[in-house]
Amino acid sequence: DAGVTQSPTHLIKTRGQQVTLRCSPKSGHDTVSWYQQALGQGPQFIFQYYEEEERQRGNFPDRFSGHQFPNYSSELNVNALLLGDSALYLCASSLALRGGVTEAFFGQGTRLTVV
Amino acid sequence: AQTVTQSQPEMSVQEAETVTLSCTYDTSESNYYLFWYKQPPSRQMILVIRQEAYKQQNATENRFSVNFQKAAKSFSLKISDSQLGDTAMYFCAFMKIQGAQKLVFGQGTRLTINP
């Protein structure tokens, strides 16, 4: 079992550009969540995808968008990059259960640097 | 909205000692989960231990145990017989049971185990 895989591991972009980050969930998981972790801070929830739809969204601007594919993999897109978007972006996958939660497994993240 | 507070930015102990990391949270929910995650320099978030709020018994996982005080909204992590491999950032996190499985993280505690 490969666990949660994210690509790329590192990325450098220029202000104003657009970026796409990718995540493949752990085998058997159907839910993908994205988090932004600024240096020295705890992760902040961006949004969650389930059944190819955005299920919940955190306090992030519309420049942050996502997508989930039929194979449960997911993409995070950020438009019009700002210096403040520099962070570690974490993907977590889990299995949706009625009335319960399953352990969220995290990938190793994508380190995005905006210059 | 839920908030999680970790009041100890850094801690340092000698190998084999016992250390306790503090966490408090605020919520109006009656049923929820609490977690401790470890993030080593490899960046991947690893689940250390979880506690269901409806369970009065404190969770334990080998050398890791928690002290869950629901009325005080306190959730501390005790690491016994600490090892060099325990050196990492530790994050306390909250999750509602109903709705999206969104984790709310604290700011983290950097734990260093010295030889």
Side-chain angles (χ1 to χ4, degrees), chain A residues 6 33-35 37 43 88-92 106-107 109, chain B residues 39 43 45:
Chain A
Q6 292 186 244
S33 302
W34 287 92
Y35 293 83
Q37 185 178 17
L88 178 68
Y89 288 84
L90 296 168
C91 170
F106 284 81
Chain B
Q39 188 178 40
R43 306 180 325 200
M45 284 282 190

Side-chain angles (χ1 to χ4, degrees), chain A residues 9-10 35 37 41-43 45 48 56 88 94-95 100-101 103-104 106 108-109 111, chain B residues 33 37 39 42-45 47 50 91 95-97 99-103 105-107:
Chain A
T9 55
H10 296 84
Y35 293 83
Q37 185 178 17
Q41 304 293 317
F45 176 78
Q48 183 180 92
Q56 187 171 352
L88 178 68
S94 56
L95 178 64
V101 299
E103 178 182 346
F106 284 81
Q108 288 191 301
R111 171 73 66 191
Chain B
Y33 288 88
Y37 280 89
Q39 188 178 40
S42 66
R43 306 180 325 200
Q44 187 166 18
M45 284 282 190
L47 179 65
R50 88 178 201 180
F91 292 95
M95 179 190 288
K96 291 195 306 182
I97 288 182
Q101 297 176 8
K102 160 191 167 183
L103 286 161
F105 287 89
Q107 296 286 75

Side-chain angles (χ1 to χ4, degrees), chain A residues 82-114:
Chain A
L82 303 174
L83 295 179
D85 295 332
S86 295
L88 178 68
Y89 288 84
L90 296 168
C91 170
S93 75
S94 56
L95 178 64
L97 292 175
R98 183 181 296 276
V101 299
T102 60
E103 178 182 346
F105 286 80
F106 284 81
Q108 288 191 301
T110 294
R111 171 73 66 191
L112 173 64
T113 302
V114 182

